[in-house]
Amino acid sequence: MVGRRAHGQLKTTVLALLREAGEPVSARMLLERWPDAEPKPAFTTVITVLTRLQQAGAVERLDGGEARFRVRAVAGGVAAESMLAALLESADRGAALMSFAEQLDATDLDVLRRAVGGSAP
Amino acid sequence: MIVLAVLLAVAAACVLGAPRLLRLRGPAVRRPRLLLVAWCTAFLTGAAAIAASVLWSVMLAIAAHAEPLDAGWLAGVLAWSALAVVGAAGALVLTRAEPLRSGREAAIRDLDLLAAACTKRVDRLGAVPVLHIRADRPIAFSSTADGGRIVVSTALADALTAGELRAVLEHERAHLAGRHDVLLRTAALNRMCLPALFGARAFDQAVHLLVELAADDAAARVCGERTLASALRRTAALEANEWAEIRAARLEQRPDASRRRARAGGGLLYKL
């Protein structure tokens, strides 16, 4: 659990640094810019995180003398909506997300209306 | 043999009783968290009783010098049947769980993509990262993958006051802290393995709704009923959502949190 949490925070930090950079950066450059507030990971750990993000399609790798990475560009708001739709669809299959205001179907609503109505003081 | 009979009776009582415990009636709506805890206890006790009775029957079978049709022989038959049933059930669960597992993996990947492409900024609520993503759909959700993350779209965050947004985030944090995803996945898996016959659909529905109500209660304890109710109303105004309206009405029906605290004592049980 500790390991997974650490990995999740690494992912978040790596993505934030890549976005801030605005240009392709290498793993070494990421480590140089690592925020002081967070424990600095090993070089190989950063490479692992970058590789996983690349496999997920979130990051692209540019080959050269030293491999550099950048966040994959997405065009405008439409892309955000379609990515969100894809996420909600797969999350629905995998019971993977917990939404604040989920949309329910009519039978669920019926059950609820009765249950909540019946609880009135 | 008597021990075995008792264990089986406990198992049957828990397996048959647990879903009935979770009917959506008034008490469930008033005390969602208590009901969820009671259900988990029944579920775990039932599972433990089943495991113990299989073990016990195997031990009986091993200990006995079997003559045909005596108690030892019967225990042997029971032990082998029990192991066969456990094996079959295990295989069924593993097969049916596959779409759930692949869906979860896809969701984790999709969330990474979204986070990479659309994050505007990252805050923290306690130890939990809160990702603000640029999107026009008013939405907030959390995922336990990678140690827990909360995601909120700019469309929702911009429409809420600071207090209301905090209430939304506390609702999500309660989901993460309570490991509600485990309950939801257990209920979903249960529905996939046991079709309507055992009330598996109703059970899934009840877990789904009670988990939301329990998270509402946790958020209301931190931010107050009024604030959370107005966050729900405002969310429903952005994108029609009757469920949010019903939840808001439930919170508005309650006496104010401060008055309830003044009555004292009653909070103890609630912290279970």
Side-chain angles (χ1 to χ4, degrees):
Chain A
M1 199 56 216
V2 173
R4 271 174 55 202
R5 161 154 296 177
H7 181 71
Q9 295 194 347
L10 278 178
K11 225 166 17 180
T12 311
T13 310
V14 164
L15 282 174
L17 287 175
L18 284 177
R19 261 194 317 276
E20 275 166 28
E23 50 166 7
V25 286
S26 66
R28 189 180 46 77
M29 293 157 85
L30 279 182
L31 273 173
E32 279 165 12
R33 297 169 193 192
W34 204 262
D36 294 330
E38 288 178 46
K40 210 173 234 190
F43 179 78
T44 48
T45 313
V46 178
I47 293 286
T48 308
V49 171
L50 283 167
T51 311
R52 285 199 196 156
L53 286 170
Q54 189 201 347
Q55 281 162 357
V59 157
E60 59 190 347
R61 179 193 172 115
L62 303 144
D63 289 319
E66 186 182 31
R68 295 187 177 219
F69 299 83
R70 71 171 169 215
V71 172
R72 260 180 62 182
V74 172
V78 182
E81 301 311 312
S82 68
M83 290 169 101
L84 197 53
L87 169 63
L88 294 178
E89 198 274 325
S90 53
D92 199 36
R93 271 189 295 133
L97 292 186
M98 296 165 286
S99 284
F100 175 64
E102 207 181 353
Q103 296 286 354
L104 298 179
D105 64 32
T107 50
D108 283 359
L109 282 173
D110 257 7
V111 173
L112 264 166
R113 226 177 279 123
R114 252 178 285 133
V116 175
S119 78
Chain B
M1 272 317 206
I2 294 168
V3 177
L4 186 58
V6 171
L7 284 173
L8 284 174
V10 171
C14 291
V15 167
L16 296 174
R20 275 174 184 68
L21 205 62
L22 256 192
R23 291 263 164 85
L24 277 175
R25 296 208 197 91
V29 173
R30 275 194 297 278
R31 288 285 166 91
R33 190 178 160 84
L34 190 63
L35 251 274
L36 285 172
V37 169
W39 173 76
C40 280
T41 312
F43 180 82
L44 292 175
T45 312
I50 289 174
S53 52
V54 170
L55 259 178
W56 194 260
S57 65
V58 170
M59 274 162 58
L60 275 182
I62 291 171
H65 296 286
E67 296 286 326
L69 291 178
D70 72 354
W73 183 82
L74 194 61
V77 173
L78 268 177
W80 284 113
S81 331
L83 287 177
V85 169
V86 167
L92 177 76
V93 168
L94 279 180
T95 324
R96 296 289 171 91
E98 173 51 29
L100 212 56
R101 201 186 55 76
S102 69
R104 184 170 153 77
E105 272 172 11
I108 291 171
R109 202 189 50 231
D110 289 345
L111 180 53
D112 280 344
L113 279 177
L114 184 73
C118 309
T119 305
K120 190 176 142 205
R121 67 171 209 278
V122 181
D123 291 342
R124 243 160 233 286
L125 182 67
V128 187
V130 178
L131 276 61
H132 291 258
I133 55 160
R134 266 184 234 94
D136 296 334
R137 226 182 124 179
I139 193 167
F141 53 81
S142 56
S143 154
T144 48
D146 292 328
R149 274 183 286 186
I150 299 176
V151 176
V152 57
S153 71
T154 45
L156 182 63
D158 293 347
L160 300 177
T161 65
E164 289 164 351
L165 179 60
R166 177 71 197 272
V168 172
L169 298 180
E170 288 294 344
H171 172 102
E172 293 305 326
R173 178 152 78 161
H175 278 319
L176 294 175
R179 291 300 310 207
H180 290 168
D181 62 314
V182 176
L183 291 177
L184 290 170
R185 276 204 301 282
T186 309
L189 185 61
N190 185 52
R191 196 189 60 203
M192 286 164 167
C193 295
L194 305 172
L197 195 62
F198 292 95
R201 157 130 180 79
F203 178 67
D204 189 24
Q205 195 180 38
V207 170
H208 230 90
L209 306 181
L210 288 180
V211 152
E212 290 304 324
L213 298 183
D216 275 354
D217 287 352
R221 276 199 293 280
V222 179
C223 303
E225 269 88 357
R226 299 266 161 75
T227 315
L228 180 58
S230 78
L232 282 161
R233 293 270 184 218
R234 224 187 276 266
T235 308
L238 293 172
E239 193 177 83
N241 187 328
E242 205 182 336
W243 176 211
E245 304 267 12
I246 294 173
R247 277 159 59 199
R250 168 178 168 272
L251 293 166
E252 286 157 358
Q253 279 169 12
R254 278 207 214 148
D256 195 54
S258 53
R259 264 192 301 161
R260 210 173 51 233
R261 238 171 261 131
R263 273 209 316 262
L268 265 179
L269 188 60
Y270 223 49
K271 290 205 174 91
L272 256 172

